[in-house]
Amino acid sequence: MFEPDSTPTAGNYPAAVVWDLDGTLVESAPDLATALNTVLEAHGQSTHGVDAVRLMIGGGVPKLIERGFRAANAPLGDAEIQAIVPEFMDIYSACATNNTYLVDHAREALEHLHQSGVTQGLCTNKPISVTRKILAALNIGHYFDSVIGGDSTACRKPDPLPLLTCIENLAASPAGTVMVGDSGAAVGAARAAGVKIIIVPDGYTGVPAAELGADHIVDDLRGVPARLREVHGLSLIHISEP
């Protein structure tokens, strides 16, 4: 259960909250592993278990391909990786919603903030077409007033451009926004954009959450609303200082 707000309004929270997707709101590793392993098999390479693929996710499709082939002892050059991206996307687009599901308490967290009047956005390195397909399949797309994918801007996280674009689309400011993510890429983007960030554990990274450099860590998504209220309260105190 979420701790109820004494006054459940957006005034208790930052102006905007921007979420990461993979590893933060959804468990997509099974379908990503299926696509990656299908590509690896087609190229005569050994495949990887889902747990291994989880730690390869982050940075977009080219990075996943790069890491997958390198782990199979078949490293690729940049041109080879880019040539495989369309093949991967054809396969992944066909299976992206087969075994992808919301992590525990994701829907409740999104609904809680929605009912409190908080503006929410999504900023992911996953291509926008398959991102929207997943959001529709899981029935969570209506929570987001801006959705930025890995191919929506010229750069991917940890570059700040995707996050700043999402914030601009929300008519918010970096100082009035908090990001919720699970990886070093999310932390890097938030830091570069001047945005506070909350990290959830057990995401798609081999680095312990405590070592990612976030402003706050929560045990699971149930802790996000309280942390957001805390961050917002501190911001108000800071702004009111002479």
Side-chain angles (χ1 to χ4, degrees), residues 19 180-181 198-202 209 214 216-228:
W19 296 85
V180 183
I198 296 170
I199 284 290
V200 298
D202 303 322
H216 295 285
I217 302 170
V218 292
D219 292 333
D220 57 46
L221 293 183
R222 287 174 296 184
V224 168
R227 283 299 190 187
L228 289 171

Side-chain angles (χ1 to χ4, degrees), residues 196-214:
K196 296 289 187 182
I197 182 163
I198 296 170
I199 284 290
V200 298
D202 303 322
Y204 294 167
T205 175
V207 180
E211 297 178 14
L212 291 174

